[in-house]
Amino acid sequence: QVHVVESGGGFVQAGGSLRLSCAASGSDLIIESMGWYRQAPGKQRELVASARRGAIDYADSVKGRFTISEDGAKNTVYLQMNSLKPEDTAHYYCNVVVWLLTGTTQNYWGQGTQVTVSS
């Protein structure tokens, strides 16, 4: 029903930059929020950044380095990642929360994109 596709991951050296993109597609989408999560081996999935009705949240570990932006007309969210550190290495997932006709919301996840930062 709703497809979420991420892109932009890759392999970079510490101090480099990447920009992740996430596009949500479907019929008559009403999006409540979009955000980015990441999961490294042996760790739980954690919030990186999210945007909900203009309200933006960042993990403390990425504040000042990452910037989330959203194009509502295109149902697309971006994550600009600057000054990357090896500890940013993880699989990054896009999360999209959409409103249903039932008046409730449902979460959709992309399959993720790998970000690897070398020392």
Side-chain angles (χ1 to χ4, degrees):
Q1 186 65 42
V2 179
H3 292 94
V4 181
V5 180
E6 306 101 327
S7 63
F11 188 98
V12 298
Q13 292 187 333
S17 298
L18 287 172
R19 189 168 90 139
L20 307 183
S21 298
C22 170
S25 62
S27 299
D28 301 319
L29 288 181
I30 304 296
I31 296 178
E32 170 68 14
S33 65
M34 301 184 75
W36 291 94
Y37 292 72
R38 67 186 182 187
Q39 186 168 22
K43 295 185 177 181
Q44 295 185 7
R45 185 176 298 185
E46 64 176 353
L47 173 71
V48 178
S50 66
R52 178 185 177 183
R53 297 184 178 181
I56 299 174
D57 289 321
Y58 293 100
D60 289 340
S61 60
V62 308
K63 288 181 178 178
R65 299 187 298 118
F66 291 9
T67 302
I68 187 171
S69 60
E70 187 176 13
D71 185 339
K74 297 181 178 180
N75 293 328
T76 300
V77 66
Y78 306 93
L79 186 67
Q80 180 66 45
M81 309 165 68
N82 297 327
S83 302
L84 283 163
K85 304 175 180 179
E87 50 262 45
D88 294 318
T89 296
H91 206 70
Y92 284 70
Y93 297 90
C94 179
N95 172 251
V96 182
V97 180
V98 303
W99 285 99
L100 305 178
L101 292 177
T102 57
T104 60
T105 58
Q106 183 166 157
N107 262 279
Y108 293 91
W109 295 88
Q111 61 185 2
T113 183
Q114 180 67 33
V115 172
T116 302
V117 185
S118 63
S119 300

